[in-house]
């Protein structure tokens, strides 16, 4: 958190004192999940940014999946329901979902309530309803981070990403969990699920103005190859991130050295390295 805040504050200082533009800055990182702490700091400091060759952290599919489950538990809203009813697949097709929509309209109820009140002859739909009801009961008994772990395990989300072989999605979810644990440790009172959803509303309801050209650029070092920027920050310069844990374990550091060299040589005027002590 401090690392992200330092970068954001330093950019604001340089923009003010040296009349630099936000577009003069690039923030580089070894792995996509590092962008989460940077993005949250930039948003807090109201610094416009864009992600090159990637998607904003809270817009990533796996993050939206988990947050939709959390919202469904609290609000039972149709938007979240439609996102997760078939994530992972429960073999509930479009025709079946349209039938639920019609019934919900007739009874003026939410889609979730409609399934709860009418079994509609689908066991997987009933199992889904029972699981959400069970998680609803659990939400006040356990920590938000533990609730997320239960969602990942009991819905089969983790298994789905594992089967897809998508290591990056799993890393992003771990980063989301780390962020929740950090909030829980910082809060003097117990962090409730409702408070957490309120806390992150700022990051998930962003109206991105793509016409705004003057923005800080965020990207992985790989994406930055061949590009140059006046001022460059390399974030997460920490053992296990850069060099990556896998490269350290397998003693393959040559690629990590090359990547670090690429990152450093992207800067035309100024270069910063940052790391979180004891990350």
């Amino acid at each position: 958190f401090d690392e992200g805040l330092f970068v954001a504050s330093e950019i604001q200082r340089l923009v003010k004192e040296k009349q630099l533009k936000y577009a003069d800055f690039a923030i580089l990182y070894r792995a996509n999940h590092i962008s989460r702490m940077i993005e949250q700091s930039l948003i807090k400091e109201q610094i416009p940014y864009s992600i090159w060759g990637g998607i904003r952290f809270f817009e990533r599919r796996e993050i939206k999946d988990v947050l939709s489950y959390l919202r469904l538990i609290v609000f039972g809203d149709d938007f979240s329901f439609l996102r997760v009813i078939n994530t992972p697949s429960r073999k509930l097709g479009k025709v079946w979902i349209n039938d639920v929509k019609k019934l919900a309209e007739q009874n003026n109820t939410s889609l979730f309530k409609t399934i709860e009140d009418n079994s509609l002859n689908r066991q997987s739909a009933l199992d889904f309803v029972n699981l959400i009801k069970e998680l609803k009961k659990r939400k006040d008994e356990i920590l938000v981070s533990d609730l997320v772990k239960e969602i990942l395990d009991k819905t089969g989300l983790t298994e789905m990403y594992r089967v897809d072989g998508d290591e990056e999605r799993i890393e992003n979810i771990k980063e989301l969990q780390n962020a929740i644990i950090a909030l829980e440790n910082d809060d003097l009172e117990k962090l409730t699920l409702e408070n957490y959803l309120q806390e992150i509303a700022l990051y998930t309801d962003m109206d991105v103005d793509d016409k705004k050209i003057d923005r800080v650029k965020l990207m992985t070092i790989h994406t930055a190859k061949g590009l140059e920027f006046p001022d460059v920050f390399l974030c997460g310069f920490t053992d296990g991130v850069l060099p990556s844990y896998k490269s350290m374990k397998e003693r393959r550091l040559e690629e990590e050295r090359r990547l670090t060299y690429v990152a450093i040589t992207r800067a035309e005027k100024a270069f910063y390295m940052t790391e979180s002590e004891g990350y």
Side-chain angles (χ1 to χ4, degrees), residues 44-58:
K44 274 194 170 144
E45 292 295 310
Q46 297 182 316
I47 296 174
Y49 72 92
S50 58
I51 294 200
W52 282 27
I55 300 168
R56 287 166 181 262
F57 185 82
F58 285 99

Side-chain angles (χ1 to χ4, degrees), residues 170-189:
I170 292 169
E171 281 300 325
N172 286 335
I173 284 175
K174 276 186 198 159
E175 180 60 25
L176 181 72
Q177 289 174 292
N178 289 340
I180 295 169
I181 291 166
L183 272 177
E184 286 167 342
N185 291 341
D186 285 346
D187 270 13
L188 294 172
E189 291 175 29

